[in-house]
């Protein structure tokens, strides 16, 4: 069982930066592929980025590639999302998620992740 808690959201002007954190509990954190998703009002939840167990492999949605960086610190059970050059269209609730323990693959669909945080709001003003 993995429990996830996000933090770091807030209000920022376009062009600014934020860093989101996701603190995980449970002994298997380092054995879970992790991801970030986001959901804007009236839209479906969409994939943002994913990271492998060790952190040496990452994958990004085209919309954030080159602006966002996903990373993890397994010693502290924490995953991060550094968001730079933010745009108003990045406004959404951001969720961290984990795949089942020991399942590989940087997947991009919500059904491939079974553990979810409660979300943190990111608002980018123009």
């Amino acid at each position: 069982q993995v429990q996830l808690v996000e933090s770091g959201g807030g209000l920022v002007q376009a062009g600014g930066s934020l860093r989101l954190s996701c603190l995980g509990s449970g002994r298997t954190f380092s054995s879970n592929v992790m991801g970030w998703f986001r959901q804007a009002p009236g839209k479906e939840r969409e994939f943002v980025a994913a990271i492998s167990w060790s952190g040496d492999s990452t994958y990004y949605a085209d919309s954030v590639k080159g602006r966002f960086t996903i990373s993890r610190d397994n010693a502290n059970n924490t995953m991060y999302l550094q968001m730079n050059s933010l745009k108003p269209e990045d406004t959404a609730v951001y969720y961290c998620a984990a795949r089942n323990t020991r399942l590989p693959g940087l997947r991009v669909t919500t059904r491939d992740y079974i553990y979810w945080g409660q979300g943190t709001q990111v608002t980018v003003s123009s």
Side-chain angles (χ1 to χ4, degrees):
Q1 186 79 8
V2 176
Q3 295 180 325
L4 304 171
V5 178
E6 303 96 336
S7 62
L11 173 64
V12 64
Q13 288 189 331
S17 298
L18 280 175
R19 188 176 81 156
L20 305 183
S21 298
C22 174
L23 178 63
S25 65
R27 296 178 297 157
T28 63
F29 181 87
S30 62
S31 300
N32 298 88
V33 169
M34 305 286 295
W36 286 98
F37 289 76
R38 66 186 182 186
Q39 188 166 18
K43 295 188 176 181
E44 292 187 352
R45 194 168 298 188
E46 66 175 7
F47 170 78
V48 175
I51 189 166
S52 62
W53 301 335
S54 64
D56 59 355
S57 294
T58 57
Y59 186 73
Y60 297 92
D62 287 343
S63 59
V64 306
K65 199 173 296 183
R67 300 188 297 122
F68 291 10
T69 302
I70 188 171
S71 62
R72 67 190 297 167
D73 178 358
N74 287 338
N76 291 297
N77 280 13
T78 305
M79 178 178 66
Y80 302 98
L81 185 68
Q82 177 67 42
M83 304 185 295
N84 298 329
S85 302
L86 282 161
K87 305 175 181 179
E89 52 263 43
D90 294 317
T91 295
V93 177
Y94 283 70
Y95 298 89
C96 68
R99 299 200 67 202
N100 205 350
T101 302
R102 292 293 179 185
L103 279 183
L106 305 183
R107 301 300 174 90
V108 302
T109 58
T110 56
R111 65 176 179 269
D112 288 310
Y113 294 78
I114 65 168
Y115 303 110
W116 292 86
Q118 83 289 349
T120 185
Q121 176 70 46
V122 171
T123 303
V124 184
S125 63
S126 56

